[in-house]
Each structure stands twice: as structure tokens, then as C-alpha cells.
Amino acid sequence: MAYDAGWREGKRLFKDGGKGAGVREVVWGGCVRRSLTAQPQNVVEKDRGAWVMGCKQAVGTGTERHPPARPVTRRAPDADLLARFRSWAGANGAKEPALHVDQVILVHLGARDYDVELATTYTDRSAKAAVKRLADVFVTWWDGDDGDNATAWNLIVTTENGTRLSTRSL
């Protein structure tokens, strides 16, 4: 269902924007960024990677529908990334915000796209300024070197139970 929702959005984008939409949505990460606010949210969040795949395939010229046979989104905790972030934050005057991060999770949305999610001790009642400060610190630390074959598009800050507090481009 997420793939179909992405496909419909991609077709609409292509109809409205032509070939330029394909560049914006595929090369510049538009489909990945749109997936964060895509509707219906309860469908998209079940497999955001499938939504992205559908969107990208639909904005591509001459692309056929190739729905995935299994879920696309893969979540992988990265303890090393958390340790490196905390070490950097401690050495750069940002130890306190970094201590609120319990886990860094790479949310793989396909073969080349992923988001970075910070599961934190913050709650939905936490001060927005504290959440923003953490996001600012992480983005400053993130050097943009996504590796050889992948691109990180978004930073998502969540509560421990996964409620989204903030999203930001990387």
C-alpha cells in the first residue's frame, strides 16, 4: 500500500513538473523528503522505503511499476556512530545535548537512500529549544560524507518510543 501511495504521488509530480520533477525527486532527494509528510501517514510509515521507491519509479520517464516483494525499509542501530558523535560533542562543548541520545538508527529507505534517526530521552513535552539544540549539534558534527554508495537525507529526532519530535535536512 505504501508503494502504491508513493506511485500515485510520483505520477502527480511528473504530470505537474515533467522531466524536471524526475531530477528534483530522484537526484535531489525530493521523494525521500516528501515521504516524511506523505499521506496517509499510517500507510507510509509502515514502509517508508516502499513509498520512496514508488515515488521514484513514477517520476522516472518510461519507468514501469516494480512493487517490492517484501518490505523495503530497514532500520539498523549504529552504536559506533553514537560513540563517535558523543566523543565529538564532549570535545566541542556539546556534551549535554549528546547525552540525551540513547541510540542512533540508520533508516535505510532502499539501496542508496537513508535517514539518520536519534532516539532520545526527550519527550513530546520537552522544550523545543533543547530538541533543536541537539539537532543543531548533530548536523554540525555530521560532515556530509555519506560513504561511497549512499546518501543520508534527513535527521529525525524521536522520543524513546519513536514519536517524531523534529526533522531536519542533512
Side-chain angles (χ1 to χ4, degrees):
M1 291 182 358
Y3 174 88
D4 292 334
W7 178 268
R8 286 189 300 274
E9 179 66 7
K11 279 298 181 193
R12 184 192 66 75
L13 292 167
F14 184 77
K15 181 182 174 193
D16 293 347
K19 289 181 184 178
V23 172
R24 282 188 307 277
E25 302 307 317
V26 176
V27 177
W28 297 106
C31 284
V32 174
R33 294 191 201 290
R34 286 175 192 281
S35 72
L36 293 170
T37 58
Q39 297 295 323
Q41 186 177 11
N42 63 329
V43 170
V44 176
E45 284 303 318
K46 287 181 183 173
D47 191 357
R48 203 158 46 92
W51 191 95
V52 170
M53 177 187 281
C55 179
K56 284 181 169 186
Q57 286 178 3
V59 295
T61 56
T63 303
E64 299 283 325
R65 282 177 55 92
H66 297 289
R70 58 179 97 42
V72 175
T73 306
R74 184 175 51 86
R75 299 170 59 80
D78 193 322
D80 180 60
L81 201 58
L82 175 58
R84 289 187 292 147
F85 170 59
R86 282 186 174 163
S87 175
W88 176 89
N92 288 278
K95 182 178 180 178
E96 195 279 324
L99 289 175
H100 287 278
V101 181
D102 286 337
Q103 196 173 41
V104 174
I105 302 160
L106 302 182
V107 183
H108 299 274
L109 303 169
R112 296 190 41 82
D113 300 311
Y114 69 98
D115 288 337
V116 178
E117 185 176 294
L118 304 180
T120 70
T121 60
Y122 293 128
T123 68
D124 52 0
R125 294 183 188 145
S126 295
K128 289 183 180 186
V131 174
K132 183 182 181 317
R133 168 89 168 114
L134 171 60
D136 289 346
V137 167
F138 189 88
V139 168
T140 299
W141 171 72
W142 190 261
D143 65 3
D145 180 10
D146 302 319
D148 297 335
N149 298 315
T151 302
W153 291 104
N154 301 295
L155 171 65
I156 302 167
V157 179
T158 70
T159 62
E160 288 176 320
N161 69 357
T163 301
R164 197 178 296 164
L165 298 173
S166 171
T167 59
R168 184 147 168 206
S169 295
L170 285 173

